[in-house]
Short mmCIF file of all heavy atoms in Angstrom, two decimals:
data_model
loop_
_atom_site.label_atom_id
_atom_site.label_comp_id
_atom_site.label_asym_id
_atom_site.label_seq_id
_atom_site.Cartn_x
_atom_site.Cartn_y
_atom_site.Cartn_z
N GLY A 11 118.94 91.60 91.83
CA GLY A 11 118.90 90.28 92.41
C GLY A 11 120.22 89.62 92.43
O GLY A 11 120.62 88.93 93.38
N LEU A 12 120.97 89.70 91.33
CA LEU A 12 122.28 89.06 91.26
C LEU A 12 123.32 89.74 92.18
O LEU A 12 124.10 89.05 92.80
CB LEU A 12 122.72 89.14 89.80
CG LEU A 12 121.93 88.28 88.77
CD1 LEU A 12 122.42 88.52 87.42
CD2 LEU A 12 122.03 86.82 89.15
N LEU A 13 123.21 91.07 92.32
CA LEU A 13 124.13 91.74 93.28
C LEU A 13 123.80 91.37 94.72
O LEU A 13 124.74 91.25 95.51
CB LEU A 13 124.06 93.22 93.06
CG LEU A 13 124.74 93.75 91.78
CD1 LEU A 13 124.47 95.22 91.64
CD2 LEU A 13 126.19 93.43 91.75
N LEU A 14 122.51 91.21 95.03
CA LEU A 14 122.18 90.73 96.36
C LEU A 14 122.75 89.34 96.64
O LEU A 14 123.19 89.07 97.78
CB LEU A 14 120.65 90.72 96.52
CG LEU A 14 120.02 92.12 96.82
CD1 LEU A 14 118.54 91.89 96.77
CD2 LEU A 14 120.48 92.64 98.14
N THR A 15 122.75 88.50 95.68
CA THR A 15 123.32 87.17 95.78
C THR A 15 124.82 87.27 96.12
O THR A 15 125.29 86.55 97.01
CB THR A 15 123.11 86.34 94.52
OG1 THR A 15 121.70 86.29 94.22
CG2 THR A 15 123.64 85.02 94.66
N VAL A 16 125.50 88.12 95.44
CA VAL A 16 126.97 88.23 95.73
C VAL A 16 127.20 88.81 97.10
O VAL A 16 128.15 88.33 97.80
CB VAL A 16 127.63 89.20 94.63
CG1 VAL A 16 129.04 89.55 95.00
CG2 VAL A 16 127.55 88.54 93.29
N ALA A 17 126.32 89.64 97.58
CA ALA A 17 126.45 90.23 98.89
C ALA A 17 126.16 89.12 99.95
O ALA A 17 126.76 89.12 101.04
CB ALA A 17 125.54 91.35 99.15
N VAL A 18 125.19 88.25 99.71
CA VAL A 18 124.77 87.24 100.70
C VAL A 18 125.75 86.01 100.74
O VAL A 18 126.18 85.60 101.77
CB VAL A 18 123.37 86.79 100.44
CG1 VAL A 18 122.98 85.66 101.34
CG2 VAL A 18 122.39 87.92 100.65
N VAL A 19 126.05 85.46 99.59
CA VAL A 19 126.79 84.24 99.46
C VAL A 19 127.87 84.35 98.44
O VAL A 19 127.64 84.89 97.37
CB VAL A 19 125.89 83.08 99.14
CG1 VAL A 19 126.70 81.81 98.98
CG2 VAL A 19 124.79 82.90 100.10
N THR A 20 129.08 84.00 98.72
CA THR A 20 130.15 84.07 97.73
C THR A 20 130.65 82.64 97.44
O THR A 20 131.54 82.12 98.10
CB THR A 20 131.34 84.96 98.23
OG1 THR A 20 131.75 84.44 99.48
CG2 THR A 20 130.84 86.35 98.41
N GLY A 21 130.08 82.08 96.40
CA GLY A 21 130.65 80.83 95.91
C GLY A 21 129.79 79.57 96.29
O GLY A 21 128.91 79.59 97.10
N GLY A 22 130.16 78.46 95.63
CA GLY A 22 129.52 77.18 95.92
C GLY A 22 128.24 77.00 95.16
O GLY A 22 127.73 77.88 94.50
N LEU A 23 127.72 75.82 95.27
CA LEU A 23 126.52 75.37 94.53
C LEU A 23 125.35 76.24 95.10
O LEU A 23 124.43 76.60 94.34
CB LEU A 23 126.26 73.91 94.67
CG LEU A 23 124.99 73.36 94.04
CD1 LEU A 23 125.00 73.63 92.52
CD2 LEU A 23 124.85 71.89 94.28
N VAL A 24 125.25 76.37 96.45
CA VAL A 24 124.23 77.11 97.03
C VAL A 24 124.21 78.58 96.50
O VAL A 24 123.14 79.17 96.20
CB VAL A 24 124.35 77.15 98.55
CG1 VAL A 24 123.35 78.00 99.19
CG2 VAL A 24 124.22 75.72 99.11
N GLY A 25 125.37 79.14 96.31
CA GLY A 25 125.45 80.51 95.81
C GLY A 25 124.91 80.58 94.40
O GLY A 25 124.25 81.54 93.99
N LEU A 26 125.24 79.57 93.56
CA LEU A 26 124.77 79.53 92.20
C LEU A 26 123.24 79.43 92.15
O LEU A 26 122.57 80.16 91.47
CB LEU A 26 125.36 78.35 91.44
CG LEU A 26 124.80 78.11 90.07
CD1 LEU A 26 125.19 79.21 89.13
CD2 LEU A 26 125.30 76.79 89.55
N LEU A 27 122.67 78.53 92.93
CA LEU A 27 121.24 78.34 93.02
C LEU A 27 120.57 79.59 93.55
O LEU A 27 119.50 80.01 93.00
CB LEU A 27 120.84 77.13 93.84
CG LEU A 27 121.28 75.81 93.25
CD1 LEU A 27 120.95 74.68 94.21
CD2 LEU A 27 120.67 75.54 91.88
N LEU A 28 121.13 80.21 94.60
CA LEU A 28 120.55 81.42 95.10
C LEU A 28 120.62 82.56 94.15
O LEU A 28 119.61 83.37 94.04
CB LEU A 28 121.24 81.80 96.42
CG LEU A 28 120.66 82.92 97.30
CD1 LEU A 28 119.24 82.58 97.70
CD2 LEU A 28 121.49 83.22 98.45
#
Side-chain angles (χ1 to χ4, degrees):
L12 293 174
L13 287 176
L14 282 172
T15 302
V16 171
V18 173
V19 179
T20 56
L23 180 61
V24 174
L26 174 67
L27 294 176
L28 190 59

